[in-house]
Structures are given as C-alpha cells and as structure tokens.
C-alpha cells in the first residue's frame, strides 16, 4: 500500500460482524513466557507505527467492539468512524496490563491528557456517541441492519478525500503528523518544507488552471 501510487485512501474494516478488533488473544498470550510477551508487544507496536506512517489518509470503520489493541489499531489511523452502538476502550488495566501498542501515546494526543488518563486508569468501555463527544472518533452513526454503518460512512468520507490532489493530501498529513511532535515554530518550518515540495507539482498547476477556467480539476498525483 505504501508504494502503490494508485492508492489514495485506506479504510480499515472487520470481516467479523459486531467486532472491529477485540485485541490480543489472552489465551494465546497466557502460553508465552515473559520474553515472548515482550517480543510480541514490540512487533505489535511496530505494526501500529507502520500503519500510522502510511503516506495516504487512513480511516478506521468501527462497527463493533474495538478493545485494547483493537482501539490502538483505530488510533493508529488518521480518522475514525464508529457506529453509535460500538464499544471502545483501552481495557488493559482490567487484565493487569497497560496499553503497549501506542495507546498511552496516541490516546492523549487524540482526546487530551486528562480524558486519556481517566480511560486508561479505569479501563472503561464507551460507545460511539460518547467517543464522538470527546473527539475520539470523527463521526458516530446509527447502526444499520447489515451491521456496517460505520464502514458505509467511512466510504463516504473516503470519497470526499478522493477528488483532492493526492500529493498535497500526503504532504498535509506529513506536516500535521511531524508538526504535532515539535514546538509550533519548528512545526511552521516543517509546513514550509512540505509546501515547498508541493510547489513544483503538476497538480498545483492543474488546480490553478481549473480555477481560472471554472472547471473541476483533474488531479493525477504528479
């Protein structure tokens, strides 16, 4: 996906009705020794980092349970859409654990430190509407009879992104992600570098031409 230039948006959804991702298999985990658990979690954290580093926008379609590592997967995505009935939570402390695949870092960056601490300390599960009210998900939608309402809304969101200039969108994502890691002055410099990369693109010229000619732009990602 990272190297396929035809890919403009990635939507993560589950094939299992009622469950986005239920997290690690604790029965499997119980058979591991301490060293194996450490390696397993390290690989899981690396996977989430790989997802977060995808250059194109990513959307998690949460149509059911997203617990523990399942919510960490959703947090590694850029955008999240949830069914109002979906259940989400970093429940690790209820199992004698703590989030180990990015949850302690991505949740506070998403909802703020105070709320993140409350959710992680309590292991509380919240529904889609509660998640939307605290900014954990971008949209909460009523579940449909097929059980894929969040996926359908995620597709609608993806279709809003698709017509936009692909390289500009990628640079926007990079500027936001890198800028969030530094002070605002450094972030402005990062934005400037990303903008400079976009200036010589054919898509920028196309955007300007389409505006002058009062027609929809035809972006190619070049």
């Amino acid at each position: 996906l990272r190297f396929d230039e035809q890919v403009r948006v990635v939507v993560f959804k589950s094939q299992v009705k009622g469950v986005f991702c239920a997290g690690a298999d604790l029965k499997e985990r119980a058979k591991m020794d301490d060293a194996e658990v450490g390696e397993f979690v390290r690989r899981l954290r690396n996977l989430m980092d790989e997802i977060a580093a995808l250059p194109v926008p990513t959307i998690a379609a949460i149509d059911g349970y997203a617990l523990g590592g399942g919510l960490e997967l959703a947090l590694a995505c850029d955008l999240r859409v949830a069914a109002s009935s979906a259940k989400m939570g970093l429940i690790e402390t209820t199992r004698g654990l703590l989030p180990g695949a990015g949850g302690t870092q991505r949740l506070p960056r998403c909802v703020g430190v105070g709320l993140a601490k409350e959710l992680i300390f309590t292991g509380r599960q919240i529904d889609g509407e509660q998640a939307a009210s605290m900014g954990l998900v971008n949209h909460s939608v009523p579940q449909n009879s097929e059980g894929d309402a969040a996926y359908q809304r995620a597709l609608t969101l993806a279709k809003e992104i698709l017509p936009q200039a692909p390289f500009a969108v990628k640079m926007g994502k990079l500027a936001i992600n890198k800028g969030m890691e530094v002070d605002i002055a450094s972030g402005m410099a990062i934005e400037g570098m990303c903008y400079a990369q976009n200036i010589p693109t054919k898509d920028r010229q196309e955007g300007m031409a389409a505006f002058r000619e009062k027609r929809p732009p035809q972006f190619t990602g070049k």
Side-chain angles (χ1 to χ4, degrees), residues 28-41:
E28 176 188 50
R29 184 79 67 84
K31 298 175 184 176
M32 299 179 185
D33 61 29
D34 289 356
E36 289 172 327
V37 170
E39 175 61 15
F40 176 87
V41 174

Side-chain angles (χ1 to χ4, degrees), residues 168-190:
V169 170
K170 289 180 181 180
M171 287 296 101
K173 173 171 175 171
L174 183 64
I176 293 169
N177 285 354
K178 295 301 182 184
M180 287 297 292
E181 299 172 3
V182 298
D183 63 271
I184 193 165
S186 302
M188 291 296 185
I190 290 169

Side-chain angles (χ1 to χ4, degrees), residues 157-173:
L157 186 54
K159 288 172 183 175
E160 285 187 70
I161 298 170
L162 284 177
Q164 316 316 325
F167 188 75
V169 170
K170 289 180 181 180
M171 287 296 101
K173 173 171 175 171

Side-chain angles (χ1 to χ4, degrees), residues 8 26 41 49 81 87 103 136 148 150 154-155 165-166 197 204 206:
R8 297 194 180 185
L26 295 184
V41 174
D49 288 346
V81 179
K87 296 293 185 183
L136 176 54
D148 69 346
L155 286 181
Q197 291 185 63
R204 188 181 75 88
E206 167 62 11

